[in-house]
Amino acid sequence: MVDSLWFVLTLVLLAVVSVALVLVLILRREETCPARETRTEYLHPDYGQTAGFRVASAPISEVILPYRCWLIEERVSEIDYDIVPGRRMSLRTAKQGQMLYPTGFFEYAFEDVQQYDIDGITVTQRQNAGRISSVSWVRDGYEYLLYSLQPEMNMIAGLAVPFVTNTRVEPAV
């Protein structure tokens, strides 16, 4: 009788310790997860009242179709694009030194990083085969990041020229 009582007590103690361990692991995992971005959707990329700037020009064509404008954390703009046929791409802009990169952007080392000039602007291109690819540059005190989470082969390189040459951010007046 005493042996079975100790056996039951041991099982209960093991159950309590197991539950406590699982709770600690879950709570610790939640602490290390980054917080979600605060996003506000806009009809046009004019963030003058909140962020102090607007996207004055960006490429639009039958292949490059903007469909949504955001302001992230009240300081970074993002315009989401449909790239025909069936791909997506985003353009982020921010005052120099305030850029926020997408979640997981630097999580994996990029397989290919290159720098080259487009229209007198130094561009940094980062690529991973079949995963996130980007082009970033700085102009007139603003940072630009054109990226795709699931690009087609050479999609970023092909679109870098129209975005670098035709995208301008200016202070709101």
Side-chain angles (χ1 to χ4, degrees):
M1 181 76 163
V2 173
D3 287 338
S4 62
L5 182 61
W6 282 110
F7 180 73
V8 169
L9 284 174
T10 303
L11 285 177
V12 169
L13 183 60
L14 282 172
V16 168
V17 168
S18 298
V19 168
L21 182 60
V22 167
L23 286 174
V24 166
L25 291 174
I26 289 172
L27 292 174
R28 185 172 184 121
R29 184 174 153 252
E30 287 178 2
E31 286 175 6
T32 59
C33 289
R36 291 187 62 121
E37 298 173 331
T38 302
R39 289 176 165 246
T40 306
E41 189 169 2
Y42 281 68
L43 294 176
H44 305 285
D46 186 348
Y47 316 99
Q49 295 213 339
T50 307
F53 67 89
R54 68 187 191 93
V55 179
S57 65
I60 296 175
S61 71
E62 61 278 349
V63 178
I64 304 170
L65 305 168
Y67 70 93
R68 193 176 299 149
C69 301
W70 301 98
L71 185 61
I72 303 168
E73 299 295 333
E74 297 185 349
R75 63 183 175 153
V76 176
S77 77
E78 182 170 280
I79 303 172
D80 294 329
Y81 289 90
D82 277 326
I83 307 299
V84 176
R87 292 291 180 201
R88 295 254 164 110
M89 181 172 280
S90 297
L91 171 68
R92 286 192 177 193
T93 58
K95 292 178 183 174
Q96 198 164 355
Q98 294 187 9
M99 180 61 73
L100 298 172
Y101 292 88
T103 303
F105 187 77
F106 290 112
E107 198 168 291
Y108 305 104
F110 288 97
E111 295 167 1
D112 184 31
V113 177
Q114 300 176 19
Q115 283 195 323
Y116 50 89
D117 282 354
I118 296 176
D119 199 29
I121 303 289
T122 301
V123 173
T124 302
Q125 180 176 321
R126 296 174 179 89
Q127 284 189 250
N128 278 328
R131 296 187 310 243
I132 193 166
S133 294
S134 73
V135 172
S136 59
W137 68 98
V138 175
R139 175 189 284 131
D140 299 328
Y142 291 93
E143 293 180 56
Y144 301 80
L145 174 69
L146 178 67
Y147 72 95
S148 179
L149 297 176
Q150 296 178 332
E152 281 187 10
M153 189 169 160
N154 294 321
M155 182 174 83
I156 287 284
L159 293 171
V161 172
F163 274 91
V164 172
T165 58
N166 296 315
T167 305
R168 298 284 189 281
V169 174
E170 60 187 31
V173 226

